[in-house]
Amino acid sequence: MNDEKVLVAYFSPHGSTKEAAVKIADAVEGDLYEILPENPYTEKDLDYKDKNSRTSVEMNDPNCRPALGGAPLNLNQYDVIYLGFPIWWGREPSIIDSFLDAYDWKGKFILPFYTSGGMSSQRTAERLQNLVGREARVMEGRRVGGEVSEDDLKIWFDEISANDDTAGEAGADASIL
């Protein structure tokens, strides 16, 4: 993956995913892109204890696709995408689904990373793969924190390199999920 153009796209309503994204972008010399909702989330919207909060309502509807804000992205120029987000209700936030639905991922190699207060991300890679289609390659996600160290990143990147040796081109064999 050394000659490929790298993007680090992230959604970070509280800032911890952004901290990790900045460190990853620095380490891989990738471009940063913040995934923004058209209507920013307030603290009240993010109250997971309130079943009527915006995020609770969105996450209870698997077809929910909040509108995207921010500048459009020219995804065609990138080969490898690190995709960062917090884990909500055991999966990626609905705004990530909106982001994935908005672009053509054919031939892309996607490496999810997520922040979490301990929540599991079971089946997140499978869900992401279904959203982007089988002509893209989604690797298993990695939990990171804003405090991620260079050593942690080196271990992860070494694992990616080892897996890339057997993976072939993006999309060549997405059956390992």
Side-chain angles (χ1 to χ4, degrees):
M1 289 192 285
N2 293 341
D3 296 334
E4 289 136 339
K5 183 90 168 142
V6 178
L7 174 70
V8 179
Y10 68 94
F11 169 65
S12 185
H14 289 112
S16 58
T17 307
K18 179 179 182 175
E19 288 181 44
V22 168
K23 289 179 182 179
I24 291 169
D26 286 345
V28 299
E29 299 178 3
D31 295 338
L32 270 174
Y33 178 81
E34 184 173 10
I35 300 166
L36 296 168
E38 183 176 76
N39 297 314
Y41 291 96
T42 66
E43 283 304 312
K44 186 176 180 181
D45 292 336
L46 296 168
D47 184 0
Y48 67 92
K49 294 177 184 175
D50 177 359
K51 67 179 180 176
N52 295 312
S53 72
R54 178 177 162 197
T55 53
S56 294
V57 171
E58 288 177 359
M59 296 306 291
N60 281 321
D61 178 0
N63 296 313
C64 179
R65 298 296 187 270
L68 293 168
L73 174 66
N74 178 5
L75 191 64
N76 292 334
Q77 65 182 317
Y78 299 101
D79 305 297
V80 177
I81 296 89
Y82 288 82
L83 180 62
F85 49 86
I87 292 293
W88 289 355
W89 290 263
R91 70 175 187 91
E92 76 285 352
S94 296
I95 193 72
I96 295 297
D97 298 347
S98 298
F99 177 72
L100 294 175
D101 283 351
Y103 296 98
D104 179 3
W105 297 92
K106 183 178 181 180
K108 306 298 182 194
F109 194 79
I110 304 166
L111 300 140
F113 64 96
Y114 56 89
T115 54
S116 158
M119 294 277 299
S120 167
S121 68
Q122 292 179 344
R123 303 191 62 190
T124 296
E126 182 180 340
R127 272 192 302 279
L128 298 177
Q129 186 72 66
N130 288 334
L131 288 167
V132 299
R134 293 291 171 189
E135 293 183 5
R137 174 75 187 275
V138 178
M139 296 295 291
E140 219 27 74
R142 171 70 68 149
R143 184 177 183 268
V144 299
E147 302 294 320
V148 67
S149 71
E150 287 185 26
D151 288 340
D152 293 336
L153 291 176
K154 183 179 181 338
I155 290 168
W156 187 31
F157 299 154
D158 287 348
E159 289 172 3
I160 292 168
S161 293
N163 286 335
D164 191 43
D165 289 343
T166 61
E169 296 180 21
D173 180 15
S175 63
I176 67 165
L177 295 176

